[in-house]
Amino acid sequence: MGSPADYTIIVLLVALGVAVWTLLERVGELKRDVEALKRKLGADDVPPPPPEA
């Protein structure tokens, strides 16, 4: 059996992994929300090309 310090390190690494996973998930969700708002407001539209003379 490992020492309690080994188990503590493993638990902390798992908690850190969950925190990073959650952070990345929230950033992805925020990015999707921003893109949806851009589409809704029409900021994503490409302006028409200038008329040729």
Side-chain angles (χ1 to χ4, degrees):
M1 293 236 341
S3 67
D6 292 338
Y7 292 121
T8 302
I9 291 172
I10 291 171
V11 168
L12 290 176
L13 286 175
V14 169
L16 182 64
V18 169
V20 169
W21 183 275
T22 303
L23 178 66
L24 290 175
E25 190 69 28
R26 297 257 173 115
V27 168
E29 182 180 347
L30 181 63
K31 190 175 179 182
R32 286 191 301 270
D33 290 346
V34 168
E35 291 298 321
L37 282 173
K38 281 183 180 179
R39 282 194 305 274
K40 184 177 180 181
L41 295 175
D44 222 15
D45 296 337
V46 178
E52 295 190 18

